[in-house]
Amino acid sequence: VGLEPSCLLTLRDEALVLGLGEPAERIAASALLFEEFLEREMKAGRLELPLAEQSGLVIKVHGHCHQKAFDALSPVHAVLARIPGAQVQPIESSCCGMAGAFGYEAEHFDLSRSMAELSLLPAVRAASEEAWIVADGTSCRHQIADGSDREALHVAQVLERCLYHPDH
C-alpha cells in the first residue's frame, strides 16, 4: 500500500517491463494506492471509518497523471464521497506541469508553470477559500502551493481531519 501515485503505480507498470519475472508480477498484482486499499476494504465490510459530519464542505480533487492513466482516480472520489455532508468535485485539469523534478529545473520552469496555468491553477484560484483542494501527488501539491498560495492535501490528510473524535 502506497501514498504517492507515481511511485506505487511504477510497481504495476514499469517494474514489469524490466524483465524481473515472477517476483515483479506478484508485487504488481498486490500493489495498491492508499485509497484503493481503503475502498476495497470498506466495500468488503472489513473496514469502517468513523467519519464526522462535514456539512457544506467542498472538496476539489486534482488527479495525478499516473492516477488518470491507470484509472486510479475513482477510488479517491469514492473514499471522499463517504465523508458525510461533503461535496466531492473533480478539478477538470491536465498535467500539473511538474512531472517529478521537471518543473523545478530552471530551463523548464516557464513551461511547467504554463501547463499548470492551462486549467489547474485557475480552477484552484477560483475555488472558495473554504474548499479543500486534494492532490495525491507530491509534485502536484507543490505546483498548487507555488502557483496559488493554497495548500493541497493528500486524501489521507483529508480523512484524518474528518475522523470522528468523541472527545471533541
Side-chain angles (χ1 to χ4, degrees), residues 14-141:
E14 287 92 349
L16 296 176
V17 298
L18 293 174
L20 302 175
E22 194 267 332
E25 292 169 13
R26 271 196 337 268
I27 291 170
S30 64
L32 293 170
L33 287 166
F34 175 71
E35 56 275 3
E36 291 174 315
F37 171 77
L38 291 179
E39 184 60 12
R40 181 189 77 186
E41 295 303 300
M42 288 188 280
K43 271 186 177 177
R46 294 184 293 258
L47 175 67
E48 186 174 326
L49 293 178
L51 298 168
E53 175 69 31
Q54 302 294 325
S55 184
L57 174 62
V58 174
I59 301 173
K60 302 272 196 177
V61 180
H62 166 70
H64 185 283
C65 289
H66 280 92
Q67 287 173 305
K68 293 174 186 175
F70 286 89
D71 192 28
L73 195 54
S74 57
V76 173
H77 290 274
V79 168
L80 293 174
R82 291 176 179 269
I83 300 170
Q87 299 171 38
V88 181
Q89 302 172 354
I91 295 176
E92 298 299 330
S93 58
S94 60
C95 178
C96 74
M98 287 302 284
F102 176 87
Y104 287 114
E105 297 167 353
E107 64 270 24
H108 301 129
F109 178 82
D110 291 337
L111 178 58
S112 171
R113 187 55 63 89
S114 294
M115 290 175 68
E117 290 293 350
L118 289 174
S119 54
L120 174 59
L121 292 178
V124 169
R125 287 188 207 107
S128 76
E129 288 295 319
E130 294 79 29
W132 292 2
I133 309 297
V134 171
D136 280 354
T138 300
S139 54
C140 302
R141 289 193 304 276

Side-chain angles (χ1 to χ4, degrees), residues 113 121 124-125 129 133 141-152:
R113 187 55 63 89
L121 292 178
V124 169
R125 287 188 207 107
E129 288 295 319
I133 309 297
R141 289 193 304 276
H142 281 276
Q143 185 77 299
I144 289 168
D146 294 342
S148 71
D149 290 326
R150 295 284 302 263
E151 177 189 23

